[in-house]
Amino acid sequence: MFKKVLIAEDLDIISIAVVQAIETLSIEVIQHSTYCDDAFLKIKKALQDNEPYDLLISDLSFKTDHRENKLTCGEELIEAVKKIQPDIKTIVFSIEDKSYRIKSLFNNLGINAYVSKGRNSIPELKNAVESIFKTDEKSISSGLTYTLNDKSLHEIEAYDISLLKLLSNGCILNEISVKFKNTGIIPNGSSSIEKRINKLKIYFKANNNVHLIAIAKDLGLV
């Protein structure tokens, strides 16, 4: 079983429940942080001390308060941690249920398991911890198993996500072109971007840009 686990969760009552649950798995060291920055520093120090964590369990959403933080959400924490400790096992424990976002966590951040908060979530979390310790197979809450098999978002690329986000922020064609050029995203010509938008409207069966943005938001793309 894992020897050293870190829980990143800003709600004390949930942290306590998670700690109590995984204590039954005979894990030697269980620690928690309520801020992503603190969690990252703990993982960094543990590496320096040659006493690394085996597993990170993190929420996605962290409420902002008076304190200024560099890492403000679970995705940013996991991404930062993976850069300094690529082999650490990671479980996301969150209420998020949007297909694209969950799929992105597996595909882009390489998480090992996703457990949805809700009914029976604590037993599912325990099962996920045991499962990823024993095998390299991905684990996901039973009610969300469709997510990893969902082919409807197969053709959507990072370029499309960036484009949809700018559209949802009210940017017009020329503004998107300039932003893409400034960040090195290609194609960045106005005509190419317009063709891509039209392709997305056809793909999602959207009547216009407003409809397209609404669909993208429903799918969790933006």
Side-chain angles (χ1 to χ4, degrees), residues 2 4 7-8 34 50 55 57 59 63 97 113 126 132 139 141 149 157 161 176 179 195 211:
F2 295 111
K4 192 173 182 181
I7 301 161
T34 54
N50 201 28
L55 171 66
I57 300 173
D59 194 356
K63 289 186 177 180
D97 62 357
K126 287 176 62 177
I132 67 172
S139 175
S141 290
N149 299 319
E157 302 174 2
I161 304 304
I176 295 173
K179 288 181 182 293
K195 288 178 183 177
H211 190 199

Side-chain angles (χ1 to χ4, degrees), residues 50-188:
N50 201 28
E51 296 178 350
Y53 290 92
D54 304 303
L55 171 66
L56 168 65
I57 300 173
S58 178
D59 194 356
L60 293 178
S61 301
F62 289 77
K63 289 186 177 180
T64 57
D65 57 16
H66 62 281
R67 174 172 162 173
E68 185 176 343
N69 293 282
K70 293 181 179 178
L71 305 174
T72 60
C73 64
E75 286 104 326
E76 292 178 358
L77 170 62
I78 294 169
E79 184 177 7
V81 168
K82 288 284 188 175
K83 287 179 180 177
I84 63 171
Q85 190 179 346
D87 60 342
I88 190 172
K89 295 291 182 72
T90 52
I91 296 176
V92 169
F93 188 46
S94 170
I95 62 171
E96 178 63 69
D97 62 357
K98 292 179 179 175
S99 297
Y100 176 80
R101 195 174 184 194
I102 295 172
K103 204 165 187 176
S104 176
L105 291 168
F106 282 100
N107 295 340
N108 300 330
L109 293 184
I111 69 168
N112 301 94
Y114 185 93
V115 179
S116 179
K117 290 179 180 177
R119 295 186 181 93
N120 301 316
S121 59
I122 293 300
E124 285 195 335
L125 181 60
K126 287 176 62 177
N127 290 338
V129 172
E130 292 180 306
S131 176
I132 67 172
F133 177 75
K134 296 174 183 177
T135 176
D136 287 331
E137 291 185 7
K138 306 297 183 183
S139 175
I140 190 167
S141 290
S142 56
L144 295 171
T145 50
Y146 71 89
T147 299
L148 296 184
N149 299 319
D150 184 5
K151 304 300 182 184
S152 64
L153 300 173
H154 176 68
E155 297 178 17
I156 302 302
E157 302 174 2
Y159 178 92
D160 300 310
I161 304 304
S162 298
L163 177 53
L164 288 168
K165 284 181 178 178
L166 290 174
L167 277 177
S168 69
N169 289 333
C171 293
I172 61 174
L173 204 58
N174 289 339
E175 291 173 332
I176 295 173
S177 177
V178 170
K179 288 181 182 293
F180 276 9
K181 287 175 181 177
N182 290 339
T183 54
I185 296 176
I186 53 175
N188 50 40

